[in-house]
Amino acid sequence: MASIRRTLSPAYHDRSYQNGANSAFPVATSPSHKFLPNGKYSSSPFPSINASAVSLRRFFSSRKIWRNSLYRCLMFFVLGLVFGMTPFGHVTDIENRDVFFEIKPPHVNVQLDRDNGDRISKRDEIVLDSVSLGVDLRNEEKMVESYRYDFAPTKQLIVITPTYNRAMQAYFLNRLAQVLRLVRPPVLWIVVEANAASFETAEMLRKTGVMYRHLVCQQNSSNVKDRGVHQRNAALEHIERHRLDGIMYFADDDNVYSIELFESLREISRFGTWPVAMLAQSKNKAILEGPVCNGSHVIGWRTNEKSKRLRRFHVDMSGFAFNTTILWDPKRWRRPFSNPIRQLDTVKEGFQETTFIEQVVEDEYQMEGVPSGCSKILNWHLHLNSHNLAYPRGWLLQKNLDAVLPL
């Protein structure tokens, strides 16, 4: 490999240098070049080997630097994680403190000036009482005692009303709807019509402001004395199919109800009953039928009709309510059978209630008296039937619920 060296000027040819030791301007030599003792300049026979060695030294030195940096980062990360997980000091919970916020407004001076010829000045000093917004949070033990972990949301009331076309249908449905509007929600009103759903009934239900479901019973009930049997069964099937949760109550549209009755229904856990006052068929006396209670325990029954002494439970159809989960969750209530609970259309008149209740409960020990002591009359069954009620002469029934007098 050819070497290139710089020629010295003639003035300096007489000077001899050894490796540039005594030169005023030392000559820098590369690793592959060096000066010989006799002053000659020679190059190394292996320059590529020297360059490779230099590059290797640089590579290993840079690799060592990166390795040290990585070790330092890892060490600081571990230290930060350890310090972050170590609790320093104590965190005081706000529940263990008594916090009080008190706002004391300044005195307000009111100057009243009136200009009526003479200037009247009146100075009144109005002092506002201090307003304190106190948040008194006691110890954790006291807070646990004050909290109610058994709190349950308001139970839904499911009211079933069978109805059919007759002269006083609009009056009965509107009267019951006005009562349900005053009941604290949630309330679901299931209205069941026979044969077909009328447009007038659906329009009236939309105007009531009560959450409702309008059902239709297709079964023929002309040969059944109690035409509401199949309609109630249709509502029971609807509740069982959709697994509606709440307290179910049969409310015929021709009865009279109090708001206190519906509020007391939410206290029922399984099956509740109460006495019902009804007007006798002769319309000359009132009959009280229902349970005799000792507190909330049912210990007997009230009845005045000898023909109904054979009944197991002396209750009117509007004198009981029960939890709907009994219909679609028999395991929860440990029912011995899982057959659908329905009203029977083959029993005699007056035995519909007792045969139905026998499917829900076994005896009086599974019943609750509502209200406590059964000492209040919460609804009336007046037997105001309108089967033979006709419109006055000249009146026309143009719609299902509206009777008009043509001009």
Side-chain angles (χ1 to χ4, degrees):
M1 185 174 183
S3 62
I4 300 174
R5 57 182 178 179
R6 182 179 176 182
T7 59
L8 299 176
S9 61
Y12 295 94
H13 284 178
D14 296 337
R15 300 178 182 180
S16 61
Y17 302 97
Q18 295 181 359
N19 289 338
N22 298 324
S23 66
F25 303 97
V27 179
T29 60
S30 64
S32 60
H33 299 80
K34 63 181 180 179
F35 288 99
L36 297 177
N38 56 2
K40 294 183 179 181
Y41 185 82
S42 65
S43 62
S44 175
F46 304 104
S48 61
I49 295 177
N50 295 334
S52 299
V54 171
S55 62
L56 285 176
R57 283 197 300 270
R58 291 178 179 177
F59 171 76
F60 284 113
S61 61
S62 62
R63 184 176 179 183
K64 185 177 181 180
I65 294 174
W66 281 105
R67 185 185 301 136
N68 294 337
S69 300
L70 181 62
Y71 287 159
R72 290 191 186 96
C73 293
L74 183 61
M75 181 182 64
F76 285 120
F77 175 76
V78 174
L79 289 177
L81 183 63
V82 172
F83 282 115
M85 298 296 292
T86 304
F88 294 96
H90 301 279
V91 179
T92 304
D93 192 1
I94 192 173
E95 294 184 357
N96 297 329
R97 292 185 176 181
D98 296 339
V99 183
F100 293 91
F101 301 95
E102 186 173 0
I103 301 176
K104 293 184 177 180
H107 298 291
V108 180
N109 297 327
V110 180
Q111 183 77 23
L112 298 178
D113 296 334
R114 296 181 181 179
D115 295 334
N116 294 326
D118 297 331
R119 184 178 182 85
I120 302 175
S121 298
K122 185 177 180 181
R123 182 180 181 87
D124 293 336
E125 185 175 354
I126 301 176
V127 180
L128 300 180
D129 295 336
S130 61
V131 181
S132 62
L133 303 176
V135 181
D136 190 4
L137 302 179
R138 305 301 180 186
N139 294 331
E140 185 177 357
E141 297 179 356
K142 295 182 179 179
M143 294 294 293
V144 171
E145 294 178 358
S146 61
Y147 287 150
R148 291 185 56 189
Y149 292 99
D150 58 345
F151 173 77
T154 304
K155 293 182 180 179
Q156 178 177 230
L157 299 182
I158 303 176
V159 182
I160 297 176
T161 301
T163 185
Y164 59 96
N165 299 342
R166 61 193 190 278
M168 299 185 68
Q169 182 184 10
Y171 166 72
F172 289 148
L173 288 178
N174 278 286
R175 183 181 63 180
L176 180 56
Q178 296 302 321
V179 176
L180 295 178
R181 286 185 63 182
L182 301 177
V183 180
R184 184 163 46 96
V187 178
L188 175 61
W189 191 18
I190 300 180
V191 180
V192 187
E193 280 196 290
N195 300 328
S198 62
F199 173 78
E200 293 78 17
T201 304
E203 185 179 7
M204 189 215 69
L205 293 176
R206 284 194 295 268
K207 296 179 181 179
T208 58
V210 181
M211 184 173 60
Y212 72 93
R213 295 190 181 184
H214 191 188
L215 306 182
V216 178
C217 179
Q218 302 290 347
Q219 295 187 12
N220 186 14
S221 58
S222 58
N223 56 349
V224 181
K225 293 184 179 181
D226 188 359
R227 65 174 69 229
V229 171
H230 295 311
Q231 294 173 270
R232 297 188 190 98
N233 288 338
L236 293 173
E237 183 180 357
H238 180 82
I239 293 174
E240 184 177 353
R241 180 171 63 254
H242 295 280
R243 292 179 175 267
L244 301 180
D245 191 4
I247 303 298
M248 197 219 69
Y249 176 54
F250 293 121
D252 293 342
D253 55 2
D254 57 345
N255 293 347
V256 180
Y257 307 93
S258 64
I259 301 177
E260 185 180 358
L261 168 65
F262 295 98
E263 293 296 339
S264 60
L265 294 182
R266 292 191 167 99
E267 301 176 1
I268 298 173
S269 59
R270 176 169 182 166
F271 184 95
T273 181
W274 57 91
V276 178
M278 60 185 64
L279 192 63
Q281 296 291 342
S282 59
K283 304 294 189 298
N284 58 0
K285 65 176 180 178
I287 302 174
L288 185 62
E289 188 176 52
V292 178
C293 302
N294 182 11
S296 60
H297 301 285
V298 179
I299 59 176
W301 303 97
R302 294 187 181 94
T303 183
N304 292 330
E305 298 191 20
K306 298 180 180 179
S307 60
K308 295 183 179 180
R309 289 182 179 178
L310 298 177
R311 293 192 303 174
R312 175 65 179 85
F313 303 110
H314 300 270
V315 188
D316 186 73
M317 188 63 69
S318 61
F320 66 91
F322 61 93
N323 198 316
T324 57
T325 56
I326 299 178
L327 299 175
W328 47 266
D329 192 5
K331 295 182 179 180
R332 174 182 176 183
W333 303 101
R334 299 179 182 179
R335 286 174 49 200
F337 52 89
S338 58
N339 298 331
I341 299 177
R342 300 291 185 271
Q343 291 190 2
L344 306 178
D345 57 355
T346 57
V347 298
K348 297 180 181 180
E349 184 180 3
F351 286 83
Q352 289 289 345
E353 296 86 354
T354 183
T355 54
F356 179 80
I357 295 174
E358 289 173 4
Q359 303 176 58
V360 180
V361 295
E362 298 178 358
D363 50 27
E364 287 81 359
Y365 290 100
Q366 298 179 349
M367 297 182 178
E368 308 168 34
V370 179
S372 180
C374 302
S375 57
K376 294 183 179 180
I377 304 299
L378 301 178
N379 64 304
W380 283 77
H381 189 182
L382 300 179
H383 295 287
L384 297 178
N385 298 325
S386 59
H387 299 291
N388 300 324
L389 180 62
Y391 289 99
R393 183 174 299 180
W395 288 66
L396 300 177
L397 184 63
Q398 293 184 352
K399 295 183 179 180
N400 180 31
L401 300 180
D402 297 332
V404 297
L405 176 63
L407 298 176

